[in-house]
Amino acid sequence: MKRITVKRGAYYDSVFLMLATRGLKGLAGVRDAIVAMATPMNVELLCDMGFPSAELDGLGPNDLVVAVDAQNDQAAEAALKEAFDSLTKKRNAEVAGGVAKVGSFAAALAHDPDANVAVISVPGAYAAREARKALQAGLHTMVFSDNVSLDDEIALKKLAVSKGLLMMGPDCGTAIIDGKPLCFANVVRRGPIGVVAASGTGLQETTCLIDRYGSGVSQAIGTGGRDMKNAAVGGMTSLLAIEALSADPSTRAILVVGKPPAPDVAAKVVAALRASGKPAVAHFLGAPIPADEETIAYASDLEEAALLVTLLADGSNDPASARARIRDDSGNNHYNRPGKAAIETIARAEAERLGASQRYLRGLYTGGTLCDEALFLAHAALGGVRSNNQTDPAWAMADPQRSEGHVVIDLGDDFFTAGKPHPMIDPAARAERLEKDGSDPKTAVVLIDVVLGYGSHDDPAGACVLAIRAAKAAAAARGGYLPVIASVTGTPADPQGYAGQVATLEAEGVVVMPSNYRAALVAIEIAKLAAKGGAR
Amino acid sequence: MTVGAIGCLAPGAPWSAPLAWVATKALALTHGDGAAVAIVGNIRDMDARAILIADGFGDFRAAAKASADAVVSVRLDDVSATLVVDGVDLLAVPTGGALRWDPRPALAAAAAAIASAAELTAAADVIAAMLAEGPADEVSVHGDGPFAVAFARLRADEAFPANIVGFGPGSTPAGDDWLAGYLTAGDLAGGGPGTSWPGLRAALAPRLGRTTPAGRALLSGALAGAPPAYLADLALAVTGLSGDGADDGLRLAVRAALGKGASSGRDALAGFLEALRHRPKSSDAL
């Protein structure tokens, strides 16, 4: 069933057209879709493909054509409606400067009565009230706000469960629902993997890596940090999300990511994954890693979690065969996971010119989960790392503004963000700290994250450039050299563009690794070499 | 807020053109001559018909976007570039001291500096390897989608590559991106800006009406030997490539190209690579 719709004199940028095409191709019953300008060559192509030529007559390069090849009338009609809606919404969003402005939740609902998800981002004291309204109106609810009381969270989640609705949050920074990125989220392919995450940048890192490995995401559901961690909350949202993904025919494999859950909650989550009947991967940062089960793989890091679930969704029906495929890839590097030898080589090359006083790792993070991943690795490998995220009181930072010894800092922590924008939105505070710590004669290596996607700064890599130059120049002036190691959490379709951000960093002599995990390994290796007096 | 540079093929002032769309890095205007004019905020996003707002592009962009429910246009005259909303001047950016952006002298020097065919072969190998690293984009002329299938068919036609003007996805159709890369590399290997493939150039000129305003702007620049900044940077990065590992600059330029648009950079790189592999002879290659 081949159908066409046309918008005359319609202009859209290429990225939007690509996203519109991807969105249509991901719809049920759609065999193929083309969203393109009606140039003579494209019209000829569409005619050759069997689309009705009468509807293409008289169109020109300034007209937009949406062509859908669907399995039946119903699917074609739904796809054309989706296309028309998304094109119209783009225009409407532009009309209102990107946001339809309303004064209340009721007005928002009246503005779009078909909406089935509400995103609440108001001061914490009011967030619970607004979330309750949304749930009572039958909407799945994402609460971006923090500072919602534990009692309110429990009550809201009980209400949500009773209605079969997802209550994501509070303090839920990211989700991808039906292909729509919410709050801080990346533009990833749609695909067979369902993600449940109690960590914002953990969700972003894994979904971006899944995209890079060639797979995609059916749904990525944020739960809020307390959902699994707090026994009283009991993982209510996580369990409902797993149940929903179990029933979702588009989801072939499930990934659960979070900080270590309360023991009872962990048992329930694992039981839910077993009961799902689908292969699954679980990764709880910093927690002991159990042995794989028949259908559940336990990953050691975010990168491994993303790769394992990609392989499980791609025909490796059990963890053992997925791990075998990873082992087989060793050396072929199909998934761009530089091994131990490559990491040591990179580290040696960077450590070669370190000055005698350069000793310490300085990790300066904008993403909390990415910070934790690097912190846990470095703390174990370097024999003690200070951080404002440290769970070991002996290594908690007395003054997070001052770096002493090995340090890995979460600059998105409340300590740094009171009254200021989060560093993923405005990286100025990170740049300032980077210049300060990078210029410290004792710093042997700087480790950073660069997080792309909606919500993030327009050019987070560019925002670091001057600080990196200044820090490297300071090291050079002392006769040393400052290695800067980074990873970029993002995809080619993100508004900032993955390749351009990598190029910006590499132009400044930054070593950009394919994941936060690999970047941390390189930085740790450099710090080890520095302790031995560099690679000289 | 000042205008820092004006592209060498930008229409001479005064003129006024309506706003077509607002993207993250550029605003597009549809000029009365049928080709787009872009307003950009970064020198890396310049092209032959673009205007660079050196500082304050974000404010200009935000003002344009917020006014998009009105009739929005930009007027360029001898003293300023002015954002006009519903007939009222909203924001004027002075043009005094604006540079003329023209990549052709540098590209001419680069073409003259090519010492051997081995340099071009080494560059082609680097680009081919980097193109092979990324996943094929399903909506470009790569991969196995309908555009890729049709592109393979067009390639077999004797009119190729003149027959791909306006072909493919994107506000700048992928075929135009491919041709811009092809012409740029052809110029680098074949004598300097605007000189390679004269038969192809003659065939392309009358076909510019078959593409979008953005495609027409891109091809006009490439035909004149003045491609967008990222393609000019790519061509410059090829110069002096020894093949002995000193290819970091080229890798950076390729990465920057891969980050352009939805698939524009990838398509342009494919054309660039094709021209490096099948370099123009002194006579027309067609």
Side-chain angles (χ1 to χ4, degrees), chain A residues 11-18 21-22 25 32-42 44-45 48-49 61-62 90-91 93-98 189 211-212 214 458-459 462 492 495-500 502-507, chain B residues 19-25 30 42 44 61 65-69 135-139 145-147 150 153-154 163-173 207 209-213 251-252 254-259 261-264:
Chain A
Y11 296 98
Y12 298 91
D13 65 84
S14 292
V15 173
F16 178 78
L17 295 178
M18 177 186 76
T21 305
R22 279 190 181 175
K25 285 184 173 180
D32 213 337
I34 287 177
V35 182
M37 304 309 290
T39 60
M41 290 305 296
N42 287 344
E44 193 180 312
L45 168 66
D48 287 350
M49 290 173 70
N62 295 338
K90 167 79 173 172
R91 280 282 176 234
E94 285 177 357
V95 163
R189 288 187 186 87
D211 182 272
R212 213 174 301 160
D458 279 353
D459 182 12
Q496 301 90 345
Y498 178 80
V502 170
T504 297
L505 293 168
E506 289 184 339
Chain B
L19 181 67
W21 77 78
V22 180
T24 307
K25 294 176 180 171
T30 46
N42 192 314
R44 289 177 297 190
R61 175 182 176 275
K65 191 163 185 176
S67 310
D69 54 341
D137 195 315
E138 61 199 80
V139 292
F147 283 120
R153 181 167 48 75
L154 291 167
N163 60 353
I164 61 170
V165 173
F167 168 77
S171 54
T172 311
R207 294 181 186 232
R210 294 168 65 84
T211 188
T212 63
R251 287 178 186 280
L252 289 174
V254 174
R255 277 193 191 277
L258 287 170
S263 67
S264 286

Side-chain angles (χ1 to χ4, degrees), chain A residues 125-156:
Chain A
Y126 309 105
R129 186 183 65 189
E130 297 303 312
R132 194 168 292 111
K133 285 182 198 169
L135 291 167
Q136 281 166 344
L139 275 69
H140 299 288
T141 300
M142 177 180 188
V143 179
F144 183 78
S145 316
D146 55 5
N147 294 318
V148 174
S149 74
L150 181 61
D151 287 346
D152 277 336
E153 178 173 350
I154 292 168
L156 288 167

